[in-house]
Amino acid sequence: LTADKLGLDPIVRRSLLDAALTQNIGMARDQDSLSRQNAAPTEWQRQLIADHAGRSADTLHKLGLEDEDTLDLVRWHHKPLHPEALPRNRMARRVLATADGFVAKMAARKSRTPMPAISAAKSIFAAAEGEAATVGGAMATSTGFYPPGTYVLLVNGDTAVVAQRGARANAPWVIPVMDKNSMPVT
């Protein structure tokens, strides 16, 4: 959605989608463990996190992926401005890095509280400048402050789940699931 809003070429958007779906393959099992552990990541786990982008690209290549753009996006998704990265993918890498950070901020972990969706959305463009601000603004407006699947507390006290983006970033379509007394809404 963000790539479309930024006017990226359809071929670039396809590589970006492929990269988004595979960028963490180099630490998939470890990521599951990290999400369930009670303590902050160990030094070994921090190194795994730091190295996973390269490992992911290498794994995809070994599995037969030959699309150099997807491999570039995966390899440099944590360092979108790296000098060894392909210049033509700079904006797509920025989109992927921003999306990765946005989702990570909202991810539940036993060792930290997830950031509310609206706070995560605001954080991707609040202090950003230049290209990062352009991408963050495009992402916030294209996904909305409340991405589909996000739980929200309504003014009347009911809890709802966001079903789709609305006309404005702060006005999604929602489906109430629990009333203010924590009873299911039918």
Side-chain angles (χ1 to χ4, degrees), residues 101-183:
F102 179 52
V103 171
K105 289 175 185 199
M106 295 183 297
R109 298 281 187 265
K110 285 188 172 185
S111 61
R112 65 172 165 80
T113 306
M115 188 180 279
I118 192 164
S119 298
K122 287 179 179 178
S123 76
I124 63 174
F125 68 88
E129 296 178 1
E131 198 175 72
T134 299
V135 171
M139 188 169 293
T141 57
S142 64
T143 62
F145 290 146
Y146 305 95
T150 304
Y151 288 94
V152 293
L153 183 63
L154 304 178
V155 173
N156 69 357
D158 289 359
T159 299
V161 65
V162 175
Q164 74 180 50
R165 296 173 321 236
R168 294 187 329 265
N170 64 347
W173 289 69
V174 300
I175 299 171
V177 293
M178 255 187 332
D179 67 19
K180 64 183 175 187
N181 300 315
S182 299
M183 297 301 295

Side-chain angles (χ1 to χ4, degrees), residues 21-146:
L21 294 172
T22 59
Q23 68 183 346
N24 294 331
I25 194 171
M27 65 173 287
R29 286 190 181 105
D30 297 301
Q31 200 165 30
D32 291 342
S33 306
L34 280 165
S35 70
R36 291 188 305 266
Q37 75 185 37
N38 292 321
T42 64
E43 195 56 43
W44 175 84
Q45 288 169 324
R46 288 182 204 282
Q47 191 60 50
L48 174 73
I49 293 165
D51 295 342
H52 85 276
R55 288 180 57 196
S56 294
D58 292 344
T59 299
L60 291 169
H61 189 259
K62 287 175 187 170
L63 291 171
L65 180 68
E66 295 179 4
D67 177 3
E68 67 179 354
D69 293 314
T70 300
L71 292 170
D72 175 71
L73 294 171
V74 169
R75 182 172 306 283
W76 303 114
H77 74 271
H78 280 279
K79 298 176 183 174
L81 303 178
H82 196 280
E84 292 179 32
L86 296 174
R88 69 179 177 261
N89 292 329
R90 180 180 167 138
M91 186 62 82
R93 280 191 310 276
R94 180 76 81 172
V95 170
L96 187 58
T98 303
D100 190 39
F102 179 52
V103 171
K105 289 175 185 199
M106 295 183 297
R109 298 281 187 265
K110 285 188 172 185
S111 61
R112 65 172 165 80
T113 306
M115 188 180 279
I118 192 164
S119 298
K122 287 179 179 178
S123 76
I124 63 174
F125 68 88
E129 296 178 1
E131 198 175 72
T134 299
V135 171
M139 188 169 293
T141 57
S142 64
T143 62
F145 290 146
Y146 305 95

